[in-house]
Amino acid sequence: MTFKKATFLILLILLIDQISKVYIKTHFQLGESLTVFDKFRIYFIENDGMAWGTKLSDIFPFISDRLAKLSLTLFRILAIFGIGYWLFSTLQKAGSRVLIIALSFIFSGALGNIIDSVFYGVIFDHSYAQIASFLPKEGGYDSLFHGKVVDMLYFPLWKGYLPEWIPFYGGEFFTFFEPVFNIADVAISIGFILLIFFNKKAFPVQEAGVEQSV
């Protein structure tokens, strides 16, 4: 896969991700939802933490929420440089097509969420009980590096009360699949799935080296 094709793939995913986020941010109030069909909804939430809504301050209680948010954003930026270097190096070495595609998905998804974290607090005002404005005159809802990630894809495939015989959670109301995510999250997931299920195609040189050593 050429550098030009990888760049096109990254830009395409990034464009779709950012267009969807800007549209949701400028057309929905926080918590507003739209049913597309029975098992799929557009549901606008914002996530200022890690995966599953976890905050770094939940793991390290001695860290303030704002410091935790800043630390997480800076860590994401460092991570994207590492992924970018890996992708660039793989392209230079004409590496596996599967590996290049997987890294392109992961890179574009990570970069999409970083854009939210770094810039959205400055370029949008808040979405509480109102539809946010792009580049508001009175300034954004927060400072640089403290933006929140926009999520909107929601697939509540099943809702109901669990059977009483299930340990710990029996009789409780349960939703499957509950997480709300975005296009960037989908891209990252696709990238990791490709690496897991097509591992031998992604790393053919490493596999050959192992076989020769044996």
Side-chain angles (χ1 to χ4, degrees):
M1 190 173 187
T2 64
F3 181 84
K4 185 179 294 186
K5 289 181 178 179
T7 302
F8 175 78
L9 178 60
I10 290 170
L11 292 177
L12 179 62
I13 296 170
L14 193 60
L15 186 63
I16 295 172
D17 175 64
Q18 288 302 306
I19 288 176
S20 65
K21 289 174 177 176
V22 171
Y23 179 84
I24 292 298
K25 187 71 177 169
T26 56
H27 288 79
F28 285 71
Q29 296 181 19
L30 194 64
E32 186 177 353
S33 66
L34 172 67
T35 300
V36 180
F37 51 83
D38 186 37
K39 302 299 181 182
F40 172 44
R41 300 179 190 175
I42 301 297
Y43 179 36
F44 174 31
I45 67 169
E46 290 180 316
N47 174 20
D48 60 356
M50 299 183 292
W52 313 103
T54 304
K55 295 181 179 180
L56 200 61
S57 54
D58 294 335
I59 302 174
F60 304 103
F62 54 87
I63 300 178
S64 67
D65 285 345
R66 290 191 65 80
L67 179 58
K69 171 63 179 175
L70 178 61
S71 301
L72 180 60
T73 301
L74 293 176
F75 173 78
R76 284 172 170 166
I77 293 173
L78 290 175
I80 199 68
F81 274 105
I83 297 168
Y85 177 78
W86 187 9
L87 175 58
F88 181 74
S89 176
T90 304
L91 284 165
Q92 279 192 320
K93 297 175 183 177
S96 163
R97 180 183 178 87
V98 173
L99 179 58
I100 292 172
I101 292 174
L103 291 177
S104 297
F105 270 98
I106 295 171
F107 181 86
S108 58
L111 183 58
N113 284 336
I114 285 174
I115 290 174
D116 297 27
S117 297
V118 174
F119 299 109
Y120 273 30
V122 176
I123 64 176
F124 291 107
D125 56 4
H126 71 84
S127 299
Y128 296 100
Q130 68 171 20
I131 293 176
S133 300
F134 180 67
L135 297 178
K137 294 181 180 179
E138 298 180 358
Y141 64 81
D142 213 323
S143 57
L144 202 66
F145 296 103
H146 288 91
K148 297 180 180 181
V149 177
V150 174
D151 293 325
M152 80 294 289
L153 304 177
Y154 183 39
F155 292 85
L157 301 179
W158 182 85
K159 288 185 177 182
Y161 288 93
L162 296 173
E164 294 289 346
W165 52 266
I166 296 179
F168 304 109
Y169 299 101
E172 293 188 7
F173 189 81
F174 179 77
T175 301
F176 178 87
F177 176 75
E178 193 170 23
V180 184
F181 52 97
N182 56 44
I183 299 297
D185 297 331
V186 173
I188 294 171
S189 298
I190 290 174
F192 278 111
I193 289 171
L194 288 173
L195 291 179
I196 292 171
F197 288 95
F198 299 95
N199 184 269
K200 291 184 178 181
K201 290 185 177 181
F203 304 102
V205 175
Q206 288 86 336
E207 291 293 334
V210 172
E211 290 176 2
Q212 289 175 3
S213 65
V214 175

